[in-house]
Coordinates of all heavy atoms in Angstrom, one line a residue:
M13 N 106.6 90.3 97.2 CA 105.3 90.0 97.7 C 104.3 91.1 97.3 O 104.6 92.3 97.4 CB 105.3 90.0 99.2 CG 104.0 89.6 99.9 SD 104.1 89.9 101.7 CE 103.3 91.5 101.7
S14 N 103.2 90.7 96.7 CA 102.2 91.7 96.3 C 100.8 91.2 96.6 O 100.6 90.0 96.7 CB 102.4 92.1 94.9 OG 102.1 91.0 94.0
I15 N 99.9 92.1 96.8 CA 98.5 91.7 97.0 C 97.7 92.5 95.9 O 97.9 93.6 95.6 CB 98.0 92.2 98.4 CG1 98.8 91.5 99.4 CG2 96.5 92.0 98.5 CD1 98.5 92.0 100.8
T16 N 96.8 91.7 95.2 CA 95.9 92.3 94.2 C 94.5 92.4 94.7 O 93.9 91.5 95.2 CB 96.0 91.4 92.9 OG1 97.4 91.3 92.6 CG2 95.2 92.0 91.8
V17 N 93.9 93.6 94.5 CA 92.6 93.9 95.0 C 91.8 94.6 93.9 O 92.3 95.5 93.3 CB 92.6 94.8 96.3 CG1 91.2 95.1 96.7 CG2 93.4 94.1 97.4
D18 N 90.6 94.1 93.7 CA 89.7 94.8 92.8 C 88.9 95.8 93.6 O 88.1 95.4 94.5 CB 88.7 93.8 92.1 CG 89.3 93.2 90.8 OD1 90.2 93.8 90.3 OD2 88.7 92.2 90.4
K19 N 89.0 97.1 93.3 CA 88.3 98.1 94.0 C 87.3 98.8 93.1 O 87.7 99.3 92.1 CB 89.3 99.0 94.7 CG 88.7 99.8 95.9 CD 89.9 100.4 96.7 CE 89.3 101.5 97.7 NZ 88.5 100.9 98.7
P20 N 86.1 99.0 93.5 CA 85.1 99.7 92.7 C 85.3 101.2 92.8 O 85.7 101.8 93.8 CB 83.8 99.3 93.3 CG 84.0 99.0 94.7 CD 85.4 98.4 94.8
C21 N 85.0 101.8 91.6 CA 85.0 103.3 91.6 C 83.9 103.8 92.5 O 82.9 103.0 92.8 CB 84.8 103.7 90.2 SG 84.6 105.5 90.0
I22 N 83.9 105.1 92.8 CA 82.8 105.6 93.6 C 81.4 105.5 92.9 O 80.4 105.4 93.5 CB 83.0 107.1 93.9 CG1 83.3 107.9 92.6 CG2 84.2 107.3 94.9 CD1 83.0 109.4 92.8
C23 N 81.5 105.4 91.6 CA 80.2 105.3 90.8 C 79.7 103.8 90.8 O 78.5 103.6 90.5 CB 80.4 105.7 89.3 SG 81.5 104.6 88.4
G24 N 80.6 102.9 91.2 CA 80.2 101.5 91.3 C 80.0 100.8 90.0 O 79.7 99.6 89.9
K25 N 80.3 101.5 88.9 CA 80.2 100.9 87.5 C 81.4 100.2 87.0 O 81.3 99.3 86.2 CB 79.7 102.0 86.5 CG 78.3 102.5 86.8 CD 78.0 103.6 85.9 CE 76.7 104.3 86.2 NZ 76.6 105.7 85.8
Q26 N 82.6 100.6 87.5 CA 83.8 100.0 87.0 C 84.7 99.7 88.2 O 84.6 100.3 89.3 CB 84.5 101.0 86.1 CG 83.8 101.4 84.9 CD 84.6 102.1 83.9 OE1 85.5 101.5 83.3 NE2 84.4 103.4 83.7
H27 N 85.5 98.7 88.0 CA 86.5 98.3 89.0 C 87.9 98.5 88.5 O 88.2 98.3 87.3 CB 86.3 96.8 89.4 CG 85.1 96.5 90.1 ND1 83.8 96.6 89.6 CD2 84.9 96.1 91.4 CE1 82.9 96.3 90.5 NE2 83.6 96.0 91.6
R28 N 88.8 98.8 89.4 CA 90.2 98.9 89.0 C 91.0 97.9 89.8 O 90.7 97.7 91.0 CB 90.7 100.3 89.4 CG 92.2 100.5 89.3 CD 92.7 100.4 87.9 NE 93.9 101.3 87.7 CZ 95.2 101.0 88.1 NH1 95.4 99.9 88.8 NH2 96.2 101.8 87.8
T29 N 91.8 97.1 89.1 CA 92.7 96.2 89.8 C 93.9 96.9 90.4 O 94.6 97.5 89.6 CB 93.1 95.0 88.9 OG1 91.9 94.4 88.4 CG2 94.0 94.0 89.6
L30 N 94.0 96.9 91.7 CA 95.1 97.6 92.3 C 96.1 96.5 92.8 O 95.7 95.5 93.3 CB 94.6 98.4 93.5 CG 93.6 99.5 93.2 CD1 93.0 100.0 94.5 CD2 94.4 100.6 92.5
I31 N 97.4 96.9 92.7 CA 98.4 96.0 93.2 C 99.2 96.7 94.3 O 99.7 97.8 94.1 CB 99.4 95.6 92.0 CG1 98.7 95.0 90.8 CG2 100.5 94.6 92.5 CD1 99.5 94.9 89.6
F32 N 99.2 96.1 95.4 CA 99.9 96.6 96.6 C 101.2 95.8 96.8 O 101.2 94.6 96.9 CB 99.1 96.5 97.8 CG 97.8 97.3 97.7 CD1 96.7 96.8 97.1 CD2 97.7 98.6 98.2 CE1 95.5 97.5 97.0 CE2 96.6 99.3 98.1 CZ 95.4 98.8 97.5
R33 N 102.3 96.5 96.9 CA 103.6 95.8 97.0 C 104.3 96.1 98.3 O 104.1 97.1 98.9 CB 104.5 96.2 95.8 CG 104.0 95.7 94.5 CD 105.1 95.8 93.4 NE 104.5 95.5 92.1 CZ 104.0 96.3 91.3 NH1 103.9 97.6 91.6 NH2 103.4 95.9 90.1
A34 N 105.2 95.2 98.7 CA 106.1 95.4 99.8 C 105.4 95.6 101.1 O 106.0 96.2 102.0 CB 107.1 96.6 99.5
G35 N 104.2 95.0 101.2 CA 103.5 95.0 102.5 C 102.7 96.3 102.7 O 102.2 96.5 103.8
M36 N 102.6 97.2 101.7 CA 101.8 98.4 101.9 C 100.3 97.9 102.2 O 99.8 97.1 101.4 CB 101.8 99.2 100.6 CG 101.0 100.5 100.7 SD 101.5 101.7 102.0 CE 102.8 102.6 101.2
P37 N 99.7 98.4 103.3 CA 98.3 98.0 103.6 C 97.4 98.5 102.5 O 97.5 99.6 102.0 CB 98.0 98.7 104.9 CG 99.4 99.1 105.5 CD 100.3 99.3 104.3
I38 N 96.4 97.6 102.2 CA 95.4 98.0 101.1 C 94.6 99.2 101.6 O 94.0 99.9 100.7 CB 94.5 96.8 100.7 CG1 93.7 96.3 101.9 CG2 95.4 95.6 100.2 CD1 92.6 95.3 101.5
E39 N 94.5 99.4 102.9 CA 93.7 100.6 103.3 C 94.3 101.9 102.9 O 93.7 103.0 103.1 CB 93.6 100.6 104.9 CG 92.8 99.4 105.4 CD 93.5 98.1 105.4 OE1 94.8 98.1 105.3 OE2 92.9 97.0 105.7
V40 N 95.5 101.9 102.4 CA 96.2 103.1 101.9 C 95.4 103.8 100.8 O 95.4 105.0 100.6 CB 97.6 102.9 101.5 CG1 97.8 102.2 100.2 CG2 98.4 104.2 101.5
V41 N 94.6 103.0 100.0 CA 93.8 103.6 99.0 C 92.4 103.7 99.5 O 91.7 102.6 99.8 CB 93.8 102.8 97.7 CG1 92.8 103.3 96.7 CG2 95.2 102.8 97.1
D42 N 91.8 104.8 99.7 CA 90.5 104.9 100.3 C 89.4 105.2 99.2 O 88.3 104.8 99.4 CB 90.3 105.7 101.5 CG 90.8 107.2 101.3 OD1 91.0 107.6 100.2 OD2 90.9 107.9 102.3
R43 N 89.8 105.8 98.1 CA 88.8 106.0 97.0 C 89.5 105.8 95.7 O 90.7 106.2 95.5 CB 88.2 107.3 97.1 CG 87.3 107.6 98.3 CD 86.4 108.8 98.1 NE 87.1 110.1 98.0 CZ 87.6 110.7 99.0 NH1 87.5 110.3 100.2 NH2 88.3 111.9 98.8
V44 N 88.8 105.2 94.7 CA 89.3 105.2 93.3 C 88.3 105.9 92.4 O 87.1 105.8 92.7 CB 89.6 103.8 92.9 CG1 90.6 103.1 93.8 CG2 88.4 102.9 92.7
Y45 N 88.8 106.5 91.4 CA 87.9 107.2 90.4 C 88.2 106.7 89.0 O 89.4 106.7 88.6 CB 88.2 108.7 90.4 CG 87.9 109.3 91.8 CD1 88.9 109.5 92.7 CD2 86.6 109.8 92.1 CE1 88.7 110.1 94.0 CE2 86.4 110.4 93.3 CZ 87.4 110.5 94.2 OH 87.1 111.1 95.5
C46 N 87.2 106.2 88.3 CA 87.4 105.7 87.0 C 87.6 106.9 86.0 O 87.2 108.1 86.3 CB 86.2 104.8 86.6 SG 84.7 105.7 86.3
P47 N 88.1 106.7 84.8 CA 88.3 107.7 83.8 C 87.0 108.5 83.5 O 87.0 109.7 83.3 CB 88.8 107.0 82.6 CG 89.5 105.8 83.1 CD 88.6 105.4 84.3
T48 N 85.8 107.8 83.5 CA 84.5 108.5 83.2 C 84.2 109.5 84.4 O 83.8 110.6 84.1 CB 83.4 107.4 83.1 OG1 83.8 106.4 82.2 CG2 82.1 108.1 82.7
C49 N 84.4 109.1 85.6 CA 84.1 110.0 86.7 C 85.1 111.2 86.7 O 84.7 112.3 87.0 CB 84.2 109.2 88.0 SG 82.8 108.2 88.3
I50 N 86.3 110.9 86.4 CA 87.3 112.0 86.3 C 86.8 113.0 85.2 O 86.8 114.3 85.4 CB 88.7 111.5 85.9 CG1 89.2 110.7 87.1 CG2 89.6 112.6 85.5 CD1 89.5 111.5 88.4
E51 N 86.4 112.5 84.0 CA 85.9 113.3 82.9 C 84.7 114.2 83.4 O 84.6 115.3 83.0 CB 85.5 112.4 81.8 CG 85.6 113.0 80.4 CD 85.4 111.9 79.4 OE1 86.3 111.1 79.1 OE2 84.3 111.8 78.9
Q52 N 83.9 113.6 84.2 CA 82.7 114.3 84.6 C 82.9 115.2 85.9 O 81.9 115.7 86.4 CB 81.6 113.3 84.9 CG 81.1 112.6 83.6 CD 80.1 111.5 83.8 OE1 79.7 111.2 85.0 NE2 79.6 110.9 82.7
G53 N 84.1 115.2 86.3 CA 84.5 116.1 87.4 C 83.9 115.6 88.8 O 83.7 116.5 89.6
L54 N 83.8 114.3 88.9 CA 83.2 113.8 90.2 C 84.3 113.6 91.3 O 83.9 113.1 92.3 CB 82.5 112.5 89.9 CG 81.3 112.6 88.9 CD1 80.6 111.3 88.7 CD2 80.2 113.6 89.5
K55 N 85.5 113.9 90.9 CA 86.6 113.7 91.9 C 86.4 114.7 93.1 O 86.0 115.9 92.9 CB 87.9 114.0 91.2 CG 89.1 113.8 92.0 CD 90.4 113.8 91.2 CE 90.8 115.1 90.6 NZ 91.2 116.1 91.6
N56 N 86.5 114.1 94.3 CA 86.3 114.9 95.5 C 87.6 114.9 96.3 O 88.0 113.8 96.8 CB 85.1 114.3 96.2 CG 84.8 115.0 97.5 OD1 85.2 116.1 97.7 ND2 84.1 114.4 98.4
G57 N 88.2 116.0 96.5 CA 89.5 116.0 97.2 C 90.6 115.7 96.3 O 90.5 115.5 95.1
E58 N 91.8 115.6 96.9 CA 93.0 115.4 96.1 C 93.1 113.9 95.7 O 93.0 113.0 96.5 CB 94.2 115.7 96.9 CG 94.7 117.1 96.7 CD 96.1 117.2 97.3 OE1 96.4 116.9 98.5 OE2 97.0 117.7 96.5
A59 N 93.3 113.7 94.4 CA 93.5 112.3 93.9 C 94.6 112.4 92.9 O 94.9 113.4 92.3 CB 92.2 111.7 93.4
F60 N 95.3 111.3 92.7 CA 96.5 111.2 91.9 C 96.4 110.2 90.8 O 95.9 109.1 91.0 CB 97.7 111.0 92.8 CG 97.8 112.1 93.8 CD1 97.1 112.1 95.0 CD2 98.5 113.2 93.5 CE1 97.2 113.1 95.9 CE2 98.6 114.3 94.4 CZ 97.9 114.3 95.6
P61 N 96.9 110.6 89.6 CA 96.7 109.7 88.4 C 97.6 108.4 88.5 O 98.8 108.5 88.9 CB 97.1 110.6 87.2 CG 98.0 111.6 87.8 CD 97.6 111.8 89.2
V62 N 97.0 107.3 88.1 CA 97.8 106.1 87.9 C 97.5 105.6 86.4 O 96.7 106.2 85.7 CB 97.4 105.0 88.9 CG1 98.0 105.4 90.3 CG2 95.9 104.8 89.0
R63 N 98.1 104.5 86.0 CA 97.9 104.0 84.7 C 96.5 103.8 84.3 O 95.7 103.4 85.2 CB 98.8 102.8 84.4 CG 98.4 101.6 85.1 CD 99.5 100.5 85.0 NE 99.4 99.6 86.1 CZ 98.4 98.6 86.1 NH1 97.5 98.5 85.2 NH2 98.3 97.8 87.2
G64 N 96.1 104.0 83.1 CA 94.8 103.7 82.6 C 93.8 104.8 82.8 O 92.6 104.7 82.5
G65 N 94.3 106.0 83.2 CA 93.4 107.1 83.4 C 92.6 107.1 84.7 O 91.8 108.0 84.9
W66 N 92.9 106.2 85.6 CA 92.3 106.2 86.9 C 93.0 107.1 87.8 O 94.2 107.4 87.6 CB 92.3 104.8 87.4 CG 91.3 103.8 86.7 CD1 91.4 103.4 85.4 CD2 90.2 103.3 87.3 NE1 90.4 102.6 85.2 CE2 89.6 102.5 86.3 CE3 89.5 103.4 88.5 CZ2 88.4 101.8 86.5 CZ3 88.4 102.7 88.8 CH2 87.8 101.9 87.7
Y67 N 92.3 107.5 88.9 CA 92.9 108.3 89.9 C 92.6 107.7 91.3 O 91.6 107.0 91.5 CB 92.2 109.7 90.0 CG 92.8 110.7 88.9 CD1 92.7 110.4 87.6 CD2 93.5 111.8 89.3 CE1 93.2 111.3 86.6 CE2 94.0 112.7 88.4 CZ 93.9 112.4 87.0 OH 94.4 113.3 86.1
L68 N 93.6 107.8 92.2 CA 93.5 107.3 93.5 C 93.5 108.4 94.6 O 94.3 109.3 94.4 CB 94.7 106.3 93.8 CG 94.9 105.2 92.7 CD1 96.1 104.4 93.2 CD2 93.7 104.3 92.6
H69 N 92.7 108.2 95.6 CA 92.8 109.0 96.8 C 93.4 108.2 97.9 O 92.9 107.1 98.1 CB 91.4 109.6 97.1 CG 91.4 110.5 98.3 ND1 91.4 110.0 99.6 CD2 91.5 111.8 98.4 CE1 91.5 111.0 100.4 NE2 91.5 112.1 99.7
F70 N 94.4 108.7 98.5 CA 95.1 107.9 99.5 C 94.8 108.3 101.0 O 94.5 109.5 101.2 CB 96.6 108.1 99.4 CG 97.2 107.6 98.1 CD1 97.6 108.5 97.1 CD2 97.2 106.2 97.8 CE1 98.1 108.0 95.9 CE2 97.7 105.7 96.6 CZ 98.1 106.6 95.7
N71 N 94.9 107.4 101.8 CA 94.8 107.7 103.3 C 96.3 107.8 103.7 O 97.0 106.7 103.9 CB 94.1 106.5 104.0 CG 94.1 106.8 105.5 OD1 94.9 107.5 106.1 ND2 93.1 106.3 106.2
L72 N 96.8 109.0 103.7 CA 98.2 109.2 104.0 C 98.7 108.7 105.4 O 99.8 108.4 105.6 CB 98.6 110.6 103.7 CG 98.7 110.9 102.2 CD1 99.0 112.4 102.0 CD2 99.6 110.1 101.4
D73 N 97.7 108.7 106.3 CA 98.1 108.3 107.7 C 98.5 106.8 107.6 O 99.4 106.4 108.3 CB 96.9 108.5 108.6 CG 96.6 109.9 108.9 OD1 97.6 110.7 108.8 OD2 95.5 110.2 109.3
V74 N 97.8 106.0 106.8 CA 98.2 104.6 106.7 C 99.6 104.5 106.1 O 100.4 103.7 106.6 CB 97.1 103.9 105.8 CG1 97.6 102.5 105.5 CG2 95.8 103.8 106.5
A75 N 99.8 105.3 105.1 CA 101.1 105.2 104.4 C 102.3 105.7 105.4 O 103.3 105.1 105.4 CB 101.1 106.1 103.1
R76 N 102.0 106.7 106.2 CA 103.0 107.2 107.1 C 103.3 106.2 108.2 O 104.5 106.0 108.5 CB 102.5 108.5 107.7 CG 102.5 109.6 106.7 CD 102.2 111.0 107.3 NE 102.2 112.0 106.3 CZ 101.1 112.7 105.9 NH1 100.0 112.5 106.5 NH2 101.2 113.5 104.9
M77 N 102.3 105.5 108.7 CA 102.5 104.5 109.7 C 103.3 103.3 109.1 O 104.2 102.8 109.7 CB 101.1 103.9 110.1 CG 100.4 104.7 111.1 SD 101.2 105.0 112.7 CE 101.2 103.3 113.3
F78 N 103.0 102.9 107.9 CA 103.7 101.9 107.2 C 105.2 102.3 107.0 O 106.1 101.5 107.3 CB 103.1 101.6 105.8 CG 103.9 100.7 104.9 CD1 103.9 99.4 105.1 CD2 104.7 101.3 103.9 CE1 104.7 98.6 104.2 CE2 105.5 100.5 103.1 CZ 105.5 99.2 103.2
A79 N 105.4 103.5 106.5 CA 106.8 103.9 106.3 C 107.6 103.9 107.5 O 108.8 103.5 107.5 CB 106.8 105.3 105.6
M80 N 107.0 104.4 108.6 CA 107.7 104.6 109.9 C 108.0 103.2 110.4 O 109.1 102.9 110.8 CB 106.8 105.4 110.8 CG 107.5 106.0 112.0 SD 106.5 107.3 112.8 CE 105.0 106.5 112.9
A81 N 106.9 102.3 110.5 CA 107.1 101.1 111.2 C 107.9 100.0 110.4 O 108.6 99.3 111.0 CB 105.7 100.5 111.5
K82 N 107.6 100.0 109.1 CA 108.2 98.9 108.3 C 109.5 99.3 107.6 O 110.3 98.4 107.3 CB 107.2 98.4 107.3 CG 105.9 97.9 107.9 CD 106.0 96.6 108.5 CE 104.6 96.1 108.9 NZ 104.7 94.9 109.8
L83 N 109.6 100.5 107.2 CA 110.7 101.0 106.4 C 111.7 101.9 107.2 O 112.8 102.2 106.7 CB 110.3 101.7 105.2 CG 109.2 101.0 104.3 CD1 108.8 101.9 103.1 CD2 109.8 99.7 103.7
G84 N 111.3 102.4 108.3 CA 112.1 103.3 109.1 C 112.3 104.6 108.4 O 113.4 105.2 108.6
I85 N 111.3 105.0 107.6 CA 111.4 106.3 106.9 C 110.6 107.3 107.7 O 109.6 107.1 108.2 CB 110.8 106.1 105.5 CG1 111.8 105.2 104.6 CG2 110.6 107.4 104.8 CD1 111.2 104.8 103.3
D86 N 111.2 108.5 107.7 CA 110.6 109.7 108.3 C 109.2 109.9 107.7 O 109.1 110.1 106.5 CB 111.5 110.9 108.1 CG 110.9 112.2 108.7 OD1 109.7 112.1 109.2 OD2 111.6 113.2 108.7
P87 N 108.1 109.8 108.5 CA 106.8 110.0 107.9 C 106.5 111.3 107.2 O 105.7 111.4 106.3 CB 105.8 109.8 109.1 CG 106.7 109.8 110.3 CD 108.1 109.5 109.9
A88 N 107.3 112.3 107.6 CA 107.2 113.6 106.9 C 107.6 113.6 105.5 O 107.2 114.4 104.7 CB 108.1 114.6 107.6
L89 N 108.3 112.5 105.0 CA 108.7 112.4 103.6 C 107.7 111.6 102.8 O 107.8 111.5 101.6 CB 110.0 111.6 103.6 CG 111.2 112.2 104.3 CD1 112.4 111.3 104.2 CD2 111.5 113.6 103.7
V90 N 106.6 111.2 103.5 CA 105.6 110.4 102.8 C 104.5 111.2 102.2 O 103.9 112.0 102.9 CB 105.0 109.3 103.7 CG1 103.9 108.6 103.1 CG2 106.1 108.3 104.2
N91 N 104.4 111.1 100.9 CA 103.3 111.8 100.2 C 102.9 110.9 99.0 O 103.4 109.8 98.8 CB 103.8 113.2 99.6 CG 105.1 113.0 98.8 OD1 105.2 112.0 98.1 ND2 106.0 114.0 98.9
P92 N 101.9 111.3 98.2 CA 101.4 110.4 97.1 C 102.5 110.0 96.2 O 102.5 108.9 95.6 CB 100.3 111.3 96.5 CG 99.8 112.1 97.6 CD 101.0 112.5 98.4
G93 N 103.4 110.9 95.9 CA 104.6 110.6 95.0 C 105.4 109.5 95.6 O 105.8 108.6 94.8
F94 N 105.6 109.5 96.9 CA 106.3 108.4 97.5 C 105.6 107.0 97.3 O 106.3 106.0 96.9 CB 106.4 108.7 99.0 CG 106.9 107.5 99.9 CD1 108.3 107.3 100.1 CD2 106.0 106.6 100.4 CE1 108.7 106.3 100.8 CE2 106.5 105.5 101.2 CZ 107.8 105.4 101.4
I95 N 104.3 107.0 97.4 CA 103.5 105.8 97.2 C 103.6 105.3 95.8 O 103.8 104.2 95.5 CB 102.1 106.0 97.7 CG1 102.0 106.4 99.1 CG2 101.3 104.7 97.4 CD1 100.7 106.9 99.6
I96 N 103.3 106.3 94.8 CA 103.2 105.9 93.4 C 104.6 105.6 92.8 O 104.8 104.6 92.2 CB 102.5 107.0 92.6 CG1 101.0 107.1 93.1 CG2 102.5 106.7 91.1 CD1 100.2 108.2 92.6
D97 N 105.5 106.6 93.0 CA 106.9 106.4 92.4 C 107.6 105.2 93.0 O 108.4 104.6 92.4 CB 107.7 107.7 92.6 CG 107.0 108.9 91.9 OD1 106.2 108.6 91.0 OD2 107.3 110.0 92.2
G98 N 107.3 104.9 94.3 CA 108.0 103.8 95.0 C 107.4 102.5 94.5 O 107.9 101.4 95.0
G99 N 106.3 102.5 93.8 CA 105.7 101.3 93.3 C 105.0 100.5 94.4 O 104.7 99.3 94.2
Y100 N 104.6 101.2 95.4 CA 103.9 100.5 96.5 C 102.4 100.2 96.1 O 101.8 99.3 96.6 CB 103.9 101.3 97.8 CG 105.3 101.4 98.4 CD1 106.0 102.6 98.3 CD2 105.9 100.3 99.0 CE1 107.3 102.7 98.8 CE2 107.2 100.4 99.5 CZ 107.9 101.6 99.4 OH 109.2 101.7 99.8
V101 N 101.9 101.1 95.2 CA 100.6 100.9 94.7 C 100.6 101.1 93.2 O 101.1 102.1 92.8 CB 99.5 101.8 95.4 CG1 98.1 101.6 94.8 CG2 99.5 101.6 96.9
D102 N 100.0 100.2 92.5 CA 99.9 100.4 91.0 C 98.5 100.0 90.5 O 98.0 99.1 91.0 CB 101.0 99.6 90.4 CG 101.1 99.8 88.9 OD1 100.7 100.9 88.4 OD2 101.5 98.9 88.2
Ligands
ZN273 ZN1 83.4 106.0 88.2

């Protein structure tokens, strides 16, 4: 099961198609940054690279709630690597 969402970059000029898998709530991604914004240093706070040169900023509280409630995983183990490497968001 997956959900596909087009989310605009903070600049509003480009959209990234995000795929959410295994029931991960779409609210887990709160900001996306296009390659142009990254190049121009417009990234604000911690964001993590995904394919295509885009970066994502996560709401880790959402991810922790999901991991605890749906997967029975200790929320302390949830970080951006868990989300990206686990394929929950691409
Ligand atoms: Zn942008």
Side-chain angles (χ1 to χ4, degrees):
M13 187 193 91
S14 66
I15 298 173
T16 303
V17 176
D18 272 342
K19 201 166 165 65
C21 175
I22 53 156
C23 67
K25 291 176 188 154
Q26 300 194 67
H27 289 68
R28 170 67 151 75
T29 300
L30 297 168
I31 303 165
F32 298 85
R33 296 194 183 90
M36 179 63 84
I38 63 172
E39 292 80 10
V40 74
V41 174
D42 57 9
R43 291 195 297 281
V44 303
Y45 298 95
C46 71
T48 308
C49 286
I50 291 296
E51 208 171 280
Q52 293 176 356
L54 298 177
K55 184 165 70 67
N56 180 18
E58 266 197 305
F60 298 85
V62 288
R63 67 188 157 78
W66 287 69
Y67 278 64
L68 308 179
H69 182 275
F70 295 110
N71 181 335
L72 289 177
D73 289 339
V74 171
R76 289 185 181 115
M77 283 296 295
F78 167 80
M80 197 166 48
K82 304 284 186 190
L83 306 176
I85 290 175
D86 181 351
L89 301 176
V90 174
N91 55 33
F94 169 88
I95 300 168
I96 294 171
D97 299 340
Y100 295 105
V101 179
D102 184 26

